[in-house]
Amino acid sequence: MDVKVTKKKLSLKDRYKLLTRDLGWQTTYQPMDKVYPYVTFEGIKIHDWEKWEDPFRLTVDAYWKYQAEKERKLYAIIDAHAQNNGHLNITDASYLTALKLFLQAISPGEYAASKGFARAGREFGGIGTQVACQMQALDEIRHAQTQIHAISNYNKFYNGFHAFADQRDRIWYNTVPRSFFDDAMSAGPFEFLIAISFSFEYVLTNLLFVPFMSGAAYNGDMSTVTFGFSAQSDEARHMTLGLESIKFILEQDPANVPIVQKWIDKWFARGMRLLSLVATMMDYMLPKRVMSWREAWNIYGVENGSALFTDLARYGIGLPKHWDDVEKSIDHISHQVQMALYQWSFGTSFHSWIPSDEDMAWLSAKYPETFDKYYRPRWENIKKLKAAGTPYANFGLPKLCQVCQLPCLFTEPDDPTSHCQRETEYKGEKYHFCSDGCQHVFENEPEKYVQAWLPMPGLFQEPLKGDIGAWMQWVGLNPGKDTGDYDGSEDQLNFAAWRTQATRNE
Ligand code: FE
Ligand code: ZN
């Protein structure tokens, strides 16, 4: 009797090969370098694309199955959150400041990353790279969508959530992440990978995603925690892509090493400026805090970062150039940025507030070297001004850094009592910077950064021409509702009233 031989199932690796093999034909109507013109102009030399192993080998059908399962769970929870007034379970409506910042600054960044990976996938010559970029482009657009959906429920009840897309492009503190992603997207494909996959996803993502998602968990925000989990498994793939791609580039040719090092220096400097907003969120915006920015930096920056760069030393890659300056700034930046957000809070689409006595005790304990010495006295003074009926506001416009676009509000690495400002003259024009890091980025590519659109000078250009009221409309701010002190705000009063209704018989 014949035994029926069952066809042996293909291994994942073989299936993946079958899936991608036909994408890799050699073009005949046009030469390959015309089809992929961007692979050479950055100076990176690739000798063998075959060596680039896609670490996931994810096929489209498997990808769809995984993601659909995650979506089903996510939307069930978002639905339950909406139906059960989940918004009343958060610790306090002041927590929403962190969430507003996330929606305005980070979710559009996910969308930008999606566009960037879609483009990079087209520009690379290797199949493995193309497919990995395509998968990540899909992930990132999903992240943007699930975040916007999860957070949209809060928009029904609270101010400041309604115009995040315009605000991402137009409000001063949001042009910090916007310019970060615009810079990456307008770079060549290899720099894009080093900027987003390696520097951002691999080195810095734990300092961004973990604080926001743990912040949500600590403060009772179920819908945000859920999209965090849903994105987490993608994040693991993205980090692997970051590490795979840098190793591939470095192994291909020794001439690639100095180019990559320059990109690491640049994107670390830019990334750390972007993270100053996260530092502020961790130390000031969460009613129930997870850990301090300093503690997060020690774990995810110092410990993980040093291990990584020790590992990369065998390729000739060293720590990012401005690592020491960054280390010196860690105990300062959250206090400096929060004071900026408070004094310009007439122009923010979230509330800020003076830290309470309890908050200040926490900050003293977490920043024993700096808080009481440099920042408590200022907060105490700001508190007095408020009590006297003359709350502190700064109607002057700050000078912005031409690279990171933050106001030049940081201090000298070795002297926290003097402002750090740098200047470069280029083709007869003066440009200003917040730090040596940003100045170096500019000086390496001046023609790129002289084109940067800066929100403060933008206020005096068409169509606004200096009209603050018109600016408010243009950026989608309702003065007094979206802006200003949390104390006495509609968000605070409504939350208190709804909580009372939900928990008492009044
Ligand atoms: Fe993402
Ligand atoms: Zn800067």
Side-chain angles (χ1 to χ4, degrees):
M1 200 171 99
D2 283 349
V3 178
K4 207 179 164 197
V5 179
T6 45
K7 231 179 162 184
K8 210 173 159 248
K9 257 189 151 181
L10 290 171
S11 73
L12 197 58
K13 195 172 177 174
D14 292 333
R15 265 181 43 210
Y16 180 75
K17 250 208 161 127
L18 280 175
L19 171 81
T20 54
R21 185 188 54 191
D22 293 340
L23 296 171
W25 71 85
Q26 291 280 323
T27 56
T28 49
Y29 298 167
Q30 292 289 332
M32 286 291 271
D33 57 345
K34 271 203 169 161
V35 178
Y36 299 108
Y38 295 105
V39 267
T40 46
F41 91 101
E42 296 168 280
I44 293 289
K45 295 190 174 72
I46 302 297
H47 304 290
D48 184 5
W49 280 105
E50 289 289 305
K51 291 254 160 59
W52 203 96
E53 286 272 349
D54 174 2
F56 329 125
R57 298 204 191 89
L58 200 56
T59 57
V60 171
D61 62 334
Y63 179 82
W64 243 251
K65 243 177 261 164
Y66 291 142
Q67 302 301 58
E69 181 57 28
K70 288 198 293 184
E71 298 275 275
R72 267 194 294 277
K73 285 183 188 154
L74 172 70
Y75 283 94
I77 293 175
I78 293 177
D79 218 33
H81 181 263
Q83 289 184 29
N84 294 297
N85 281 322
H87 69 99
L88 294 180
N89 291 333
I90 56 175
T91 45
D92 186 72
S94 60
Y95 157 74
L96 298 174
T97 282
L99 204 56
K100 291 170 194 177
L101 183 61
F102 188 92
L103 180 67
Q104 294 161 22
I106 309 300
S107 303
E110 304 271 15
Y111 184 67
S114 173
K115 289 201 287 184
F117 277 105
R119 203 215 61 192
R122 166 62 184 86
E123 290 177 355
F124 278 120
I127 314 151
T129 334
Q130 290 168 348
V131 173
C133 285
Q134 175 195 263
M135 294 300 187
Q136 188 161 349
L138 294 172
D139 287 339
E140 300 299 358
I141 204 159
R142 196 181 74 88
H143 294 176
Q145 286 171 341
T146 52
Q147 287 165 18
I148 292 163
H149 286 157
I151 297 173
S152 68
N153 188 45
Y154 290 97
N155 182 43
K156 291 189 215 160
F157 303 98
Y158 303 96
N159 296 318
F161 286 104
H162 63 287
F164 70 93
D166 280 344
Q167 290 170 347
R168 181 260 175 174
D169 286 346
R170 298 173 178 179
I171 282 194
W172 55 285
Y173 56 89
N174 285 328
T175 67
V176 176
R178 169 195 156 160
S179 74
F180 179 95
F181 283 102
D182 283 357
D183 191 349
M185 279 198 289
S186 54
F190 288 106
E191 184 180 346
F192 179 80
L193 270 196
I194 298 298
I196 304 300
S197 291
F198 178 70
S199 303
F200 193 74
E201 298 277 8
Y202 196 82
V203 186
L204 302 176
T205 198
N206 283 329
L207 285 164
L208 177 89
F209 240 73
V210 176
F212 266 109
M213 296 313 127
S214 330
Y218 272 53
N219 289 281
D221 179 2
M222 265 314 285
S223 62
T224 299
V225 171
T226 311
F227 80 59
F229 275 129
S230 169
Q232 199 57 47
S233 54
D234 301 338
E235 224 50 57
R237 265 188 291 121
H238 301 173
M239 291 175 79
T240 318
L241 176 60
L243 199 61
E244 283 294 323
S245 44
I246 193 170
K247 289 187 170 169
F248 168 70
I249 297 169
L250 293 172
E251 279 165 9
Q252 283 291 310
D253 200 295
N256 295 340
V257 176
I259 304 176
V260 169
Q261 180 73 54
K262 229 179 202 174
W263 289 336
I264 291 177
D265 296 347
K266 168 181 171 179
W267 290 98
F268 178 73
R270 293 220 60 172
M272 290 311 293
R273 277 302 186 237
L274 180 63
L275 289 181
S276 66
L277 291 167
V278 182
T280 312
M281 185 281 290
M282 295 185 78
D283 287 343
Y284 282 90
M285 295 176 185
L286 297 179
K288 191 165 167 57
R289 285 171 289 272
V290 179
M291 59 172 82
S292 69
W293 165 245
R294 163 50 85 185
E295 288 164 326
W297 170 251
N298 285 350
I299 300 171
Y300 301 116
V302 181
E303 273 179 43
N304 295 3
S306 332
L308 169 69
F309 284 101
T310 313
D311 188 33
L312 291 176
R314 66 194 155 104
Y315 298 104
I317 291 290
L319 274 180
K321 186 174 182 154
H322 298 283
W323 183 277
D324 291 343
D325 284 354
V326 164
E327 171 54 48
K328 286 175 195 167
S329 76
I330 298 297
D331 295 331
H332 296 278
I333 50 170
S334 64
H335 317 296
Q336 294 172 350
V337 172
Q338 180 63 18
M339 275 180 190
L341 294 177
Y342 183 81
Q343 64 184 285
W344 288 306
S345 71
F346 63 90
T348 58
S349 191
F350 50 67
H351 297 297
S352 44
W353 53 91
I354 301 171
S356 66
D357 291 344
E358 202 192 326
D359 292 339
M360 286 206 249
W362 185 87
L363 289 163
S364 300
K366 297 295 181 187
Y367 295 94
E369 308 292 324
T370 56
F371 186 74
D372 286 346
K373 192 167 172 196
Y374 302 108
Y375 304 106
R376 180 188 283 275
R378 290 187 224 175
W379 282 122
E380 295 292 357
N381 190 40
I382 290 170
K383 217 160 110 181
K384 257 188 233 155
L385 288 169
K386 188 181 169 181
T390 52
Y392 180 51
N394 182 349
F395 294 105
L397 298 180
K399 183 194 286 176
L400 299 181
C401 173
Q402 188 74 21
V403 171
C404 72
Q405 305 214 356
L406 276 158
C408 294
L409 56 89
F410 301 101
T411 50
E412 287 290 347
D414 293 308
D415 179 9
T417 62
S418 64
H419 265 129
C420 184
Q421 299 206 33
R422 299 289 180 265
E423 233 175 71
T424 297
E425 217 178 287
Y426 183 74
K427 291 190 177 168
E429 290 268 351
K430 263 186 199 161
Y431 297 92
H432 305 281
F433 311 98
C434 72
S435 57
D436 289 337
C438 285
Q439 188 178 29
H440 288 156
V441 171
F442 178 91
E443 287 176 347
N444 281 325
E445 296 167 88
E447 285 298 328
K448 185 170 200 180
Y449 297 99
V450 296
Q451 302 172 57
W453 180 83
L454 294 175
M456 293 298 159
L459 179 55
F460 296 98
Q461 293 160 358
E462 294 283 351
L464 305 170
K465 292 193 246 162
D467 181 343
I468 296 280
W471 179 80
M472 289 278 181
Q473 258 189 357
W474 187 66
V475 297
L477 277 181
N478 299 316
K481 282 180 184 277
D482 304 328
T483 61
D485 202 319
Y486 176 66
D487 189 19
S489 67
E490 226 174 62
D491 278 2
Q492 184 193 40
L493 300 176
N494 282 339
F495 183 74
W498 294 329
R499 269 282 267 261
T500 308
Q501 269 176 13
T503 53
R504 277 180 234 159
N505 299 306
E506 286 169 19

